[in-house]
Each structure stands twice: as C-alpha cells, then as structure tokens.
Amino acid sequence: MSELSLNNVVKRFGALEIIHGANLEVKDGEFVVFVGPSGCGKSTLLRMIAGLEDISGGEINIGGKVVNDVEPADRGIAMVFQSYALYPHMTVEQNLSFGLRMNGNPKEDTEKRVQHAANILQINELMQRRPKQLSGGQRQRVAIGRAIVREPQVFLFDEPLSNLDAELRVQMRVEISRLHKQLGTTMIYVTHDQTEAMTLADKIVVLRAGNIEQVGAPLDLYDNPANQFVAGFVGSPKMNFLKAQVVETGAGTATIALAGEPNVRLTLPVATSVPKGAEVTLGVRPEHFSDAGQGDTDLTVTVDVAEHLGNTSYIYATTASAEPLIIERPESRTAGQRDTLTVGLSAKRSFLFDSTGKRLR
Ligand SMILES: Nc1ncnc2c1ncn2[C@@H]1O[C@H](COP(=O)(O)OP(=O)(O)OP(=O)(O)O)[C@@H](O)[C@H]1O
Ligand SMILES: [Mg+2]
C-alpha cells in the first residue's frame, strides 16, 4: 500500500510532447481512474508510473520515494493489461507462480500466495488448465491473479475489461471493486468507459490531449464539471449542448435565449461577467428536463425517435434550430408518442459555458 504523486510530469516522443506537465496526488489505498478519449495519453501516463516509459521531465513519487530512475521490477507496482499476456504453454497455476519462482521466492510462500490469489478470484478449479482452455473473463482473472501474488504497493490497470463482452464487463467491474475493498491497495485504472470510471473510482482524472482537465470524486465531476469537455465526458447519455445567446446581464447573472427560440429564456448565475450578445452554450443533462410547466421555462422539440426501456425512456429530438438532443423521461412509456414534446428547463439544473467551453457558472 502506498501513496503516489506526479510532479509536473512531461513525456516527449522525439520532438512531440504528449504529456504536458501532469500534477496529481494519489492517497494510500485510493482507487483512481484515468479517463479520456483515445490518444489523450492515459496509457502513456500509466506506463511512466510503471517504469515502462522514460520520464522526459518532472518527478514520479511512490511511497515517498522518487522512482524516476528505479527499474520497473523495483517500484512495487503490478500492471494488468487489456491483452492478458499469459504464458500460453503454462497452466494457470504456473502462470500465477512464474514471477515469484523467477525471483527465487521461497516455495512455500509462493504456494501460499498463489492459493490466496486463487481464493480471492475463485479460480481454484482452473489451476491445471492452460490459457486457451479459459474464457476471456477467466483469463483476465488469471492476469489479475498474477498481479495479486506480487503483493504490490500499487496496482495499475490499463483497460483490463475492454476485450470482454458487455455482461462480463459489468461482472468483472464489480469483482475489481470488491478486490479493492478486500486488499485496500492503491489502484490506478485506465478506461475510456465513463460508467466504469463513475462506478469504480474514488477519484477520477479526466485527461484531454495530454492535459489533466479536472480531478475529482465521480459525483463532484457530475455536479460540478469545470468545463464543457468534462461535462460532456461524465454522465450517460451525454449532456446536451444547446447554442444560446446572452440577451440580458444583471449583477452576477446572465439571461440567455436559446438559438432559434427567442422566447425560451433562462436567467443563470455567472461567476465571470459575460457581455450582452455573447454566444454561449447551455448544457442540460438528459435526466434534468422536467415535465412541461415544472421548470423555469418550457421548450418544445420535434420528436425523432422514442426508445422505451421499461424503467426509463429516451426521446431523441430536434430543437427549432435543428440541434439534436436527448431527453430522458423516467417511468414514462408514452412520452414521445406525439410529433412534438414540451419539457421544462430550469436554471438550477443547467450549465452555462462560454464559446471556448469554459464554465460560466
Ligand atoms: N512510442 C510512441 N512514439 C510516438 N508516439 C507515441 C508513442 N506511444 C504513444 N504515442 C502517442 O502518444 C499519444 C498518447 O497515446 P496513449 O497510448 O497514451 O493514448 P491513450 O489515451 O492510452 O489512448 P487509447 O484510449 O486509444 O488507448 C498518442 O497520440 C500516441 O500516438
Ligand atoms: Mg491506452
């Protein structure tokens, strides 16, 4: 178990800078998830922590020790990859014990640790099989088992579930969560699945193009995204973004009108002043529309498609200015049966962003 910190960590591949000075504190025992779109640098950052990539600038600290020049094997970390990377010719048991045997770990202790990992992951029945005789989920369990037997200070996971089908992903997600509770070890987990991030993390790190955009507890990011990028990344279905214009300003407030809907107006608090006439974006989560008449103003949209999932319905619709949006109506099996739908919008459940995506409130 250990805390970990990144101080102004930079990564360059040749002349190209990929990570632009990352700062992060990870507490002992914390479960931290890196999320972000493909190519934003999640794996690179994780591989630098693991010691599989050199650090071009800054400092990585594990357990109070700078590890920039420490060999991967001596960092007290264990990494689990998307591709299981098991030895095909070895049994599960041999795969689990291999690293310890190579390090000359005493036989009895190795057996004890392998047994312990097998118990935790419930793979006792599979110990004599070879990887090709296992399902994807079982293989990933063995890969995680190989990390457990090393008794690392920090576990690193790089999209460990992305090769599994949807149902198994959910199951393994719960198992990883349970594993974290049971072991209490610091874990850093990379994914681009925002549901995995929301459900697993104590703390989410949102990355974009090599920059950390925001760090926070899952619900903090949901309630208080720092910018439009984070707002669009956290929450599912994604937040709707509607074009709007500032039509009035007050002391610490701005009144906006939706594009193509001059009468659909909302007055929102703003932290930074914004000039009248400014183009802005209103963010509304699909689940934050209310019934007509229940919000601060009503919005009527054209219904394109309605999906009824039983517990909830998703209405895919279009605004007067032809902007697409998704509206969620819990418990409704009839919403969206007509050609138009009127819903309520409220300032309290809306977000305002300037033209650069910065949060105004
Ligand atoms: N060895 C390398 N040489 C040059 N560029 C690299 C190298 N490895 C990665 N990159 C670049 O660094 C950037 C970040 O890559 P990285 O693999 O960290 O992304 P990622 O966030 O893990 O993406 P994904 O979700 O697709 O796995 C990408 O633009 C990638 O092309
Ligand atoms: Mg990656």
Side-chain angles (χ1 to χ4, degrees), residues 31-48:
F31 199 127
V32 173
V33 176
F34 292 173
V35 290
S38 188
C40 69
K42 305 180 293 295
S43 296
T44 302
L45 206 49
L46 201 70
R47 291 169 60 81
M48 283 196 282

Side-chain angles (χ1 to χ4, degrees), residues 13 16 18 36-45 53 159 190 192:
F13 288 111
L16 196 64
I18 296 295
S38 188
C40 69
K42 305 180 293 295
S43 296
T44 302
L45 206 49
E53 293 283 359
E159 309 221 25
V190 166
H192 53 242

Side-chain angles (χ1 to χ4, degrees), residues 143-221:
I144 294 170
R146 227 172 25 177
I148 294 175
V149 298
R150 298 186 51 194
E151 299 181 353
Q153 298 184 63
V154 181
F155 281 91
L156 304 178
F157 295 93
D158 195 352
E159 309 221 25
L161 308 185
S162 53
N163 282 346
L164 306 179
D165 65 43
E167 197 175 333
L168 204 51
R169 276 182 88 119
V170 175
Q171 196 182 325
M172 285 300 291
R173 189 173 85 204
V174 175
E175 280 188 34
I176 288 176
S177 215
R178 194 174 292 141
L179 182 71
H180 178 245
K181 280 220 172 67
Q182 206 166 345
L183 301 176
T185 310
T186 310
M187 294 187 176
I188 303 181
Y189 187 103
V190 166
T191 181
H192 53 242
D193 181 322
Q194 72 91 32
T195 311
E196 264 173 35
M198 292 297 282
T199 52
L200 286 171
D202 294 316
K203 188 151 97 186
I204 295 180
V205 177
V206 183
L207 285 155
R208 170 165 65 162
N211 289 308
I212 294 180
E213 293 282 307
Q214 194 172 0
V215 177
L219 293 178
D220 286 345
L221 296 194

Side-chain angles (χ1 to χ4, degrees), residues 35-338:
V35 290
S38 188
C40 69
K42 305 180 293 295
S43 296
T44 302
L45 206 49
L46 201 70
R47 291 169 60 81
M48 283 196 282
I49 295 170
L52 302 173
E53 293 283 359
D54 298 337
I55 299 157
S56 314
E59 218 172 71
I60 297 183
N61 230 283
I62 301 176
K65 197 172 121 201
V66 176
V67 296
N68 286 29
D69 300 317
V70 176
E71 288 296 315
D74 302 327
R75 291 192 183 192
I77 48 103
M79 188 148 168
V80 179
F81 300 91
Q82 170 181 354
S83 60
Y84 319 114
L86 301 177
Y87 301 109
H89 56 287
M90 292 186 198
T91 63
V92 167
E93 185 168 24
Q94 289 164 342
N95 262 288
L96 290 176
S97 61
F98 182 73
L100 295 174
R101 283 188 279 128
M102 289 311 282
N103 287 341
N105 195 56
K107 190 160 178 282
E108 208 170 294
D109 182 62
T110 298
E111 279 169 13
K112 206 177 85 203
R113 292 200 206 179
V114 167
Q115 195 51 52
H116 177 64
N119 291 344
I120 289 179
L121 297 165
Q122 303 176 342
I123 50 173
N124 296 291
E125 270 81 74
L126 309 175
M127 297 299 264
Q128 299 316 317
R129 292 206 205 163
R130 287 179 211 285
K132 70 167 187 294
Q133 298 168 303
L134 302 174
S135 72
Q138 290 169 333
R139 278 180 214 170
Q140 195 50 281
R141 251 178 236 144
V142 177
I144 294 170
R146 227 172 25 177
I148 294 175
V149 298
R150 298 186 51 194
E151 299 181 353
Q153 298 184 63
V154 181
F155 281 91
L156 304 178
F157 295 93
D158 195 352
E159 309 221 25
L161 308 185
S162 53
N163 282 346
L164 306 179
D165 65 43
E167 197 175 333
L168 204 51
R169 276 182 88 119
V170 175
Q171 196 182 325
M172 285 300 291
R173 189 173 85 204
V174 175
E175 280 188 34
I176 288 176
S177 215
R178 194 174 292 141
L179 182 71
H180 178 245
K181 280 220 172 67
Q182 206 166 345
L183 301 176
T185 310
T186 310
M187 294 187 176
I188 303 181
Y189 187 103
V190 166
T191 181
H192 53 242
D193 181 322
Q194 72 91 32
T195 311
E196 264 173 35
M198 292 297 282
T199 52
L200 286 171
D202 294 316
K203 188 151 97 186
I204 295 180
V205 177
V206 183
L207 285 155
R208 170 165 65 162
N211 289 308
I212 294 180
E213 293 282 307
Q214 194 172 0
V215 177
L219 293 178
D220 286 345
L221 296 194
Y222 177 89
D223 291 335
N224 255 318
N227 55 44
Q228 193 174 338
F229 178 80
V230 175
F233 210 84
V234 173
S236 173
K238 213 166 116 59
M239 184 185 285
N240 295 294
F241 295 119
L242 302 172
K243 287 200 194 76
Q245 196 174 36
V246 175
V247 290
E248 291 285 350
T249 58
T253 67
T255 301
I256 58 102
L258 284 192
E261 295 273 13
N263 297 321
V264 179
R265 294 180 171 214
L266 278 180
T267 300
L268 297 109
V270 287
T272 41
S273 76
V274 53
K276 199 167 154 177
E279 303 289 338
V280 291
T281 301
L282 186 74
V284 186
R285 295 194 184 279
E287 60 273 32
H288 288 165
F289 292 98
S290 59
D291 288 334
Q294 301 290 305
D296 299 324
T297 183
D298 278 352
L299 172 67
T300 299
V301 295
T302 305
V303 175
D304 300 321
V305 174
E307 291 179 341
H308 300 291
L309 303 180
N311 61 333
T312 197
S313 298
Y314 294 116
I315 316 297
Y316 295 80
T318 316
T319 63
S321 59
E323 288 187 282
L325 79 172
I326 306 179
I327 296 167
E328 182 175 0
R329 304 272 63 209
E331 303 288 337
S332 169
R333 298 180 181 208
T334 51
Q337 275 177 349
R338 289 146 55 108

